[in-house]
Amino acid sequence: QVQVAESGGGLVQPGGSLRLSCAASEWIFNNYAIGWFRQAPGSEREFVAYITWSGANTFYAHAVKGRFTISRDNAKNSVYLQMNSLKPEDTAVYYCNAINLGTRRLHDAFPPWGKGTQATVSP
């Protein structure tokens, strides 16, 4: 059963913007905080940002703070990642999923990863 589905990636020039969308299952969306993660070429998957159920608490990795904004729409079971002022080092496959707020990794329940969405920042 598909639990998360990412979309919105693409190819942009440095300084450009992308808005990623995450459609989550009702179970995941209503019971867990949601995080965005990314995996760059040759790198481990890393934490990008999270948002709690109410949307009142957000947190960002240092590398994206001030440039990315995470938000959610509870009526649509969706979480978004607005990415501005993109840099080549932001190039990665972006994933969303339930997050363990303590470790900032995939939640201990280990829900399946989606396919992710590719964001490429290049001249």
Side-chain angles (χ1 to χ4, degrees), residues 12-18 67 82-87 90 121:
V12 297
Q13 295 185 18
S17 297
L18 287 170
R67 300 186 297 117
Q82 179 68 45
M83 307 192 296
N84 297 327
S85 302
L86 284 164
K87 305 174 181 180
D90 295 317
V121 186

Side-chain angles (χ1 to χ4, degrees), residues 5 13 23 30 34 52 56 82 86-89 95-96 100 109-111 116-117:
Q13 295 185 18
N30 290 334
I34 304 297
T52 54
Q82 179 68 45
L86 284 164
K87 305 174 181 180
E89 51 262 45
Y95 304 86
C96 65
N100 180 316
F110 292 100
T117 185

Side-chain angles (χ1 to χ4, degrees), residues 7-86:
S7 62
L11 174 63
V12 297
Q13 295 185 18
S17 297
L18 287 170
R19 187 171 189 252
L20 308 184
S21 297
C22 169
S25 72
E26 185 174 341
W27 174 256
I28 289 179
F29 191 87
N30 290 334
N31 289 281
Y32 303 96
I34 304 297
W36 282 97
F37 309 83
R38 68 186 183 185
Q39 187 167 20
S43 300
E44 297 290 321
R45 201 192 312 260
E46 66 179 4
F47 164 77
V48 175
Y50 72 62
I51 187 166
T52 54
W53 186 89
S54 69
N57 192 3
T58 60
F59 190 83
Y60 300 89
H62 177 75
V64 307
K65 189 175 183 180
R67 300 186 297 117
F68 291 11
T69 302
I70 189 170
S71 61
R72 66 190 296 161
D73 185 341
N74 290 358
K76 298 180 179 179
N77 284 4
S78 296
V79 175
Y80 307 97
L81 186 68
Q82 179 68 45
M83 307 192 296
N84 297 327
S85 302
L86 284 164

